[in-house]
């Protein structure tokens, strides 16, 4: 029997995110019967101990041990319940100057760094160490400095769905689509405002890429790489499994807003290290900076489990089940694949072909160009049980006389008066340098009188559409606006976008692009957060001769032309051994997540099997683009995959992901669990059978099933 812990077992997690936090010792074992004693769980006693100051060493209780902050340098270490010492952060890079006097507070301590005009506070909060820094002047701090612990074995990074990267992996230590030398904006480039490291208990690297031999983690019939002994990751579970180097541990780093914070990756001695930099700027609304540190059980999705707990504790975790209660149309997302329609597929006859194939649920979208779906086609889609809605964007404005897109064309003087303007007064160039980005603050100020957004929405759904895809609004690309009359910080931009998305979600099944977690309460679905985009993907997409352009009108090659990804891009995005479900661990029961719409399932032929297995493993829908010929050619395959997915997602789409683990040392066989055993999925990304599961296949078992349901995507047909 595996000694494992569920992802949902972190303190404070609840389906609706509104309940009182549960005790830190509550866990759900894989067998639903293991006790906290078996798991070696650190109890609440450590969290109830007081804060201690010894010289420059500030000791604070955290769940799973004790955190120690060096007030001279901001270095942070921890002692775990089983006696391990962890380095949570090295000293602040570049220094912070001589500290002022440390003053005890009711729940921690406070001090300053006069040379940089920084005030720091540290305290224990919900079992985490929270360090908050406020600046009295514009500047920056390079901290925390992470991955410096010799025992650190892998980095968890929420790029797209999520990655677990062995720190010694040669590919990721390179600069070519790897991470070394790169910098990412936490609030804009990552799908969750966090990162993490896990350790093996000694200085040996346990990653398969480093050539180590993985040992069993308490399982009698499968091997598991040292590290994922806890089933889906939870916070502060000391000694929850054993590996070749001793007890496994991990550290989660959470920056709740992400605004003004970036991560820089370096390769030192062939090992990845990560330094956060925060820019303090009153005008940007980033004068305050906080980082919450949590000790975890070392599971690769533990940082996301901790974040889910954080959202729940702060009443910020949305519930898809509650969204369905408020608007039953949201329930049509359960079991549905997603597709954008073109040409004949937009007609009632095209919808009828989907229904004839036996497809019971679909989300159907269409752009606002020539020939959008008419009322007859929309009615046919709704009668078939499908959701249907337009693509729209409130972010771009162009001169109405020369605009190349209906979504960029606005009445009156929205363009150019609503343009976001830089400090020098010039407009912020719009998407692909077309027109300008429009200020959400300008819209919010004008809306009560002019109803620009409400009028746009009414016109877009006059055909009876019951869904809406609002591009850009939920992404991390936020703007500061210097325009007189509608000045705005990035935090203000986020607030305005949330307000208008909230209005839309009251009557429509709302989705957006690469949804950031701050939008999880208002959205029902998102397109894009499932894709861990490599930097070179954008360069490939701009290569129109090879990738495809926006022609022909009824089947643009940018969406329909199959392409072959370069090997390094394919590795960075779709190699299963690096993929982990961070986003699903945090938000699976809150909204439905899919890949980017320009990366349809048929766009990347060589990745189809891996993408299908990942979708089934993560209980997330595939995303397509369809026209008449594509539907005729690939419709039977689509139908076969959707019929497999539909009952699984109907059962588990509103459940949280409670378990993720690798079953083999090379990570080729992976398993997830949703809810209280509602659904268990095992995917074999390898070429050899594992416990009877062939390579390239997936087994899924609902709690009501007597035997698993098997899918081998290469054999999918009508």
């Amino acid at each position: 029997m595996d000694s494992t812990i569920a992802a949902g077992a972190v303190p404070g997690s609840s389906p609706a995110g509104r309940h009182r936090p549960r005790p830190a010792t509550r866990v759900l074992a894989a067998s639903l019967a293991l006790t906290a004693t078996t798991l070696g769980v650190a109890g609440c006693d450590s969290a109830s101990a007081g804060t201690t100051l010894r010289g420059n060493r500030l000791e604070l209780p955290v769940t799973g041990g004790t955190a120690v902050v060096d007030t001279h340098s901001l270095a942070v270490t921890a002692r775990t319940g089983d006696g391990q010492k962890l380095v949570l952060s090295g000293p602040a890079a570049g220094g912070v100057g001589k500290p002022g006097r440390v003053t005890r507070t009711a729940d921690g301590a406070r001090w300053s760094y006069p040379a940089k005009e920084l005030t720091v506070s540290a305290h224990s909060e919900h079992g985490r160490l929270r360090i908050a820094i406020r600046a009295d002047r514009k500047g920056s701090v390079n901290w925390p400095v992470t991955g410096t612990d010799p025992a650190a074995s892998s980095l968890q990074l929420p790029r797209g769905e999520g990655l677990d990267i062995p720190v010694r992996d040669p590919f990721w230590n390179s600069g070519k689509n790897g991470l070394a030398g790169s910098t990412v904006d936490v609030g804009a480039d990552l799908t969750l405002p966090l990162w993490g490291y896990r350790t093996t208990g000694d200085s040996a690297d346990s990653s398969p890429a480093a050539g180590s031999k993985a040992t069993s983690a308490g399982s009698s019939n499968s091997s598991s790489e040292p590290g994922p002994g806890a089933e889906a990751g939870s916070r502060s579970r000391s000694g929850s499994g054993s590996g070749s180097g001793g007890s496994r541990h991990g550290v989660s780093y959470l920056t709740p807003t992400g605004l003004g914070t970036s991560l820089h990756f370096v390769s030192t001695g062939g090992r990845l290290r990560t330094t956060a930099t925060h820019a303090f700027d009153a005008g940007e609304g980033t004068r305050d900076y906080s980082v919450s540190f949590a000790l975890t059980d070392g599971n690769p999705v533990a940082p996301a489990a901790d974040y889910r707990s954080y959202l729940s504790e702060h009443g910020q975790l949305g519930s898809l089940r509650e969204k369905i209660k408020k608007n039953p149309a949201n329930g049509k997302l359960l079991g549905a694949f997603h597709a954008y329609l073109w040409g004949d597929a937009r007609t009632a006859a095209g919808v009828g072909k989907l229904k004839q194939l036996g497809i019971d649920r679909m989300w159907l979208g269409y752009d606002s160009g020539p020939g959008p779906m008419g009322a007859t086609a929309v009615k046919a889609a709704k009668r078939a049980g499908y959701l249907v809605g337009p693509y729209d964007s409130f972010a771009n404005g162009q001169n109405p006389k020369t605009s190349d897109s209906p979504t960029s064309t606005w009445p009156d003087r929205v363009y150019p008066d609503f343009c976001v303007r830089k400090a020098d007064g010039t407009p912020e160039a719009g998407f692909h340098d077309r027109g300008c980005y429009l200020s959400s603050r300008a819209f919010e100020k004008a809306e009560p009188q002019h109803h620009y957004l409400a009028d746009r929405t009414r016109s877009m759904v006059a055909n009876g559409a019951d869904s809406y895809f609002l591009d850009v609004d939920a992404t991390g690309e936020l703007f500061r606006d210097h325009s007189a009359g509608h000045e705005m910080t990035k935090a203000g931009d986020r607030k305005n976008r949330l307000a208008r998305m909230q209005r839309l979600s009251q009557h429509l099944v709302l989705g957006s692009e690469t949804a950031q977690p701050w939008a999880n309460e208002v959205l029902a679905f998102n397109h894009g957060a499932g894709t861990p985009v490599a930097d070179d993907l954008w360069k490939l997409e701009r290569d129109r001769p090879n990738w495809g352009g926006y022609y022909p009108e009824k089947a643009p090659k940018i969406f329909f032309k199959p392409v072959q990804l370069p090997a390094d891009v394919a590795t960075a995005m779709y190699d299963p051994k690096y993929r982990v479900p961070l986003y699903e661990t945090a938000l699976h029961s809150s909204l439905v997540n899919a890949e980017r719409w320009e990366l349809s399932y048929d766009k990347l032929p060589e990745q189809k099997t891996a993408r299908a297995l990942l979708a089934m493993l993560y209980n997330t829908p595939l995303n397509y683009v369809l026209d008449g010929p594509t539907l005729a050619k690939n419709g039977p395959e689509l139908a076969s995959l959707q019929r497999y997915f539909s009952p699984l997602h109907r059962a588990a789409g509103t459940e949280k992901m409670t378990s993720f683990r690798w079953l083999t040392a090379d990570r080729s066989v992976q398993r997830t669990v949703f809810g209280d055993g509602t659904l268990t999925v095992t995917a074999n990304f390898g070429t050899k059978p594992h416990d009877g599961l062939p390579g390239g296949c997936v087994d899924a078992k609902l709690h009501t099933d007597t035997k698993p349901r098997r899918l081998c995507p290469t054999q999918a047909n009508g």
Side-chain angles (χ1 to χ4, degrees), residues 108-129:
R110 182 184 302 274
W111 67 98
S112 65
Y113 297 106
K116 302 198 75 167
E117 297 184 34
L118 301 177
T119 301
V120 182
S121 65
H123 67 276
S124 298
E125 181 180 83
H126 292 287
R128 304 177 187 88
L129 166 66

Side-chain angles (χ1 to χ4, degrees), residues 24 28 46 65 90 109 177 204 222 236 257 291 351 382 387 418 437 440 457 517 571 583 598 609 688 699:
L28 173 64
S46 63
N177 282 303
S222 63
S236 59
T257 70
V291 180
V351 172
K382 294 170 71 174
L387 286 166
F418 285 19
Y437 277 103
S440 63
T457 302
T571 296
Y583 196 88
E598 82 273 19
T609 296
K688 298 178 180 179
D699 273 353

Side-chain angles (χ1 to χ4, degrees), residues 670-688:
Q670 304 178 15
R671 177 171 292 162
T672 54
V673 178
F674 298 86
D676 192 8
T678 301
L679 173 66
T680 300
V681 186
T682 306
N684 186 348
F685 295 95
T687 57
K688 298 178 180 179

Side-chain angles (χ1 to χ4, degrees), residues 322-669:
E322 292 299 317
K323 294 169 188 175
I324 293 171
K325 288 181 181 178
K326 292 178 181 178
N327 179 5
N330 285 314
K332 295 181 182 180
L333 287 169
L334 299 178
F337 277 1
H338 295 222
Y340 277 92
L341 305 181
W342 301 80
D344 293 342
R346 291 183 176 182
T347 64
V351 172
K353 290 180 180 178
L354 287 169
K355 192 65 176 178
Q356 291 167 13
L357 287 166
I359 298 172
D360 66 345
R361 293 282 177 96
M362 287 292 291
W363 179 91
L364 302 177
Y366 54 91
D367 70 352
S368 56
M373 288 186 78
T376 302
V378 169
K379 185 176 181 180
K382 294 170 71 174
R383 189 167 54 243
Y386 305 158
L387 286 166
V388 59
Y391 165 97
D392 196 6
S393 174
F394 298 162
N396 196 252
Q398 298 184 49
N399 188 328
K401 296 180 180 179
T402 59
S403 177
D404 59 9
S405 171
T407 61
S408 298
T409 305
W410 297 88
D412 302 333
R413 286 186 57 84
V414 168
Y415 179 89
D417 289 0
F418 285 19
C419 288
V420 170
R421 295 193 178 272
K422 304 174 185 177
D424 62 4
T426 59
E428 188 75 50
F431 184 65
H432 283 179
D433 293 325
R434 297 150 54 246
C436 71
Y437 277 103
L438 298 176
S439 170
S440 63
R441 175 61 177 157
F443 273 122
E444 287 299 292
K445 290 187 67 176
E447 194 63 13
Q449 180 178 357
H450 295 286
H451 316 304
Y452 293 124
L453 301 183
D455 289 346
R456 163 68 74 83
T457 302
R458 276 192 290 267
S459 68
M460 296 289 275
V461 299
N463 59 2
D466 54 1
S467 185
Y468 215 80
F469 181 82
L470 187 61
D471 201 9
V472 177
D473 257 34
T475 68
E477 188 178 32
L478 302 166
F479 294 99
R480 180 179 180 185
D481 187 1
H482 294 267
S483 297
H486 49 85
E487 297 90 344
M488 176 179 71
T489 65
K490 289 183 178 180
D493 191 11
R494 180 185 289 180
K495 181 180 179 181
N496 297 330
R497 295 184 190 204
L498 275 173
R500 66 195 192 189
M501 285 191 287
Q502 176 63 45
R503 295 193 295 267
L504 283 172
S505 68
Q506 292 176 11
H507 305 289
L508 295 164
V509 178
L510 183 63
S512 190
E513 176 193 3
T514 315
Q516 294 289 308
W518 48 262
N520 87 89
E521 292 183 275
V522 300
L523 294 179
F525 69 96
N526 98 86
H527 294 162
T531 307
V533 173
D535 290 341
D536 277 3
L537 178 67
W538 308 129
K539 182 168 64 177
L540 290 170
E541 292 190 2
R542 289 192 294 269
D543 182 1
R544 297 298 167 75
N546 292 316
W547 190 267
Y550 288 94
Y551 61 88
E553 182 180 285
K554 293 186 177 181
K557 291 185 177 179
I558 191 171
F559 302 117
F560 287 90
K561 180 183 178 180
V563 298
Q564 179 179 346
L565 293 177
D568 56 333
V569 175
T571 296
M573 293 178 63
Y574 292 113
D575 192 326
K577 69 174 175 284
Y578 301 124
R579 294 285 297 264
V580 290
L582 297 177
Y583 196 88
E584 298 314 309
T585 297
L587 296 174
H588 183 268
S589 64
S590 181
L591 49 75
V592 175
N593 180 30
E595 285 213 61
R596 298 183 60 83
W597 75 308
E598 82 273 19
L599 296 177
S600 70
Y601 183 59
D602 295 316
K603 180 72 175 179
L604 308 174
E606 293 185 0
Q607 280 72 45
K608 286 180 71 171
T609 296
R611 294 173 81 189
L613 295 184
L614 286 167
M616 303 307 159
L617 184 69
Y618 297 166
N619 198 228
T620 56
L622 292 172
N623 209 348
Y624 289 79
V625 292
L626 299 172
D627 65 348
T630 302
L631 183 56
K633 178 183 177 183
N634 299 333
E637 178 190 50
L638 185 162
S640 179
L641 294 172
Q642 192 274 334
R643 283 197 298 269
Y644 181 84
F645 174 77
S646 184
L648 308 179
H649 195 237
R650 287 190 190 216
T654 58
E655 301 284 350
K656 62 186 176 184
M657 180 182 282
T658 49
S659 173
F660 170 80
R661 53 194 292 259
W662 297 302
L663 301 185
T664 58
D666 62 2
R667 305 185 180 186
S668 65
V669 184

